[in-house]
Amino acid sequence: MTDELVRVYVPATVPMLTLLRADGLPAASAHAVTPALREWYAEGDEEELEYVAFTRAAQDALQLLRADPAAPRRRVVVSADVPATLVGRGDGDLGSSTVELTRAVPVTSVAAIHVDGTDAVEDVAAAAEVVTEALAGDPDAQFTVDGAEDHELEWYDVSELDQLLDAG
């Protein structure tokens, strides 16, 4: 019997992609379409719910950038289809898309890699500096974060991982 697969959106940074190639992305918080998210967005279809989870992963990528000032100022979200047994419970709050991964995400599970284009670097750098303040409710900081979120992440096939790493 095969295990059901769950699409997860894992926030990351460009340097973390080297881990993906070597040993898989380490177990961490990720986002997915959870029962709590479905209940909160009762009117949303599957595609809309996936977009919410994806967007939240991109927001979490800003926090990872703040924690790693040496990382290129580009948000990264890794979309992966993992066995349901790898996806642990999240925080359970109504509307939450947060899940905890119980094992590393292997490169073989990756469906796509999403990375900011070079045109977003300046806005992402500014947003990474103030993301904590935005989460605390600072409207000026939120405006800066919104500027980064205006940039759509570019889509890359997993076969392009080495090219992404070479480009930095």
Side-chain angles (χ1 to χ4, degrees), residues 27-53:
S29 291
H31 292 271
V33 177
T34 62
L37 183 63
R38 283 185 200 285
E39 186 176 343
W40 183 256
Y41 290 95
E43 300 298 318
D45 65 19
E46 193 69 18
E47 188 173 318
E48 291 170 320
L49 295 173
E50 288 179 0
Y51 185 75
V52 169

Side-chain angles (χ1 to χ4, degrees), residues 5-43:
L5 294 178
V6 175
R7 171 66 53 100
V8 294
Y9 303 95
V10 185
T13 63
V14 171
M16 290 173 70
L17 293 177
T18 59
L19 300 173
L20 173 63
R21 180 177 48 196
D23 302 313
L25 279 179
S29 291
H31 292 271
V33 177
T34 62
L37 183 63
R38 283 185 200 285
E39 186 176 343
W40 183 256
Y41 290 95
E43 300 298 318

Side-chain angles (χ1 to χ4, degrees), residues 31-97:
H31 292 271
V33 177
T34 62
L37 183 63
R38 283 185 200 285
E39 186 176 343
W40 183 256
Y41 290 95
E43 300 298 318
D45 65 19
E46 193 69 18
E47 188 173 318
E48 291 170 320
L49 295 173
E50 288 179 0
Y51 185 75
V52 169
F54 175 85
T55 301
R56 290 177 178 172
Q59 291 168 347
D60 284 357
L62 282 175
Q63 294 178 59
L64 293 174
L65 288 173
R66 181 168 182 142
D68 183 0
R73 305 286 92 178
R74 299 168 77 187
R75 297 170 297 167
V76 176
V77 175
V78 177
S79 298
D81 296 317
V82 299
T85 55
L86 187 120
V87 181
R89 298 186 68 123
D91 58 24
D93 291 341
L94 187 61
S96 176
S97 60

Side-chain angles (χ1 to χ4, degrees), residues 14 58 61-62 65 73-77 113-121 123-125 148-156 164 168:
V14 171
L62 282 175
L65 288 173
R73 305 286 92 178
R74 299 168 77 187
R75 297 170 297 167
V76 176
V77 175
I113 302 167
H114 311 271
V115 182
D116 273 311
T118 55
D119 63 319
V121 169
D123 288 337
V124 170
E149 291 177 354
D150 287 342
H151 296 276
E152 293 290 327
L153 278 73
E154 298 173 355
W155 182 94
Y156 294 90
L164 274 171

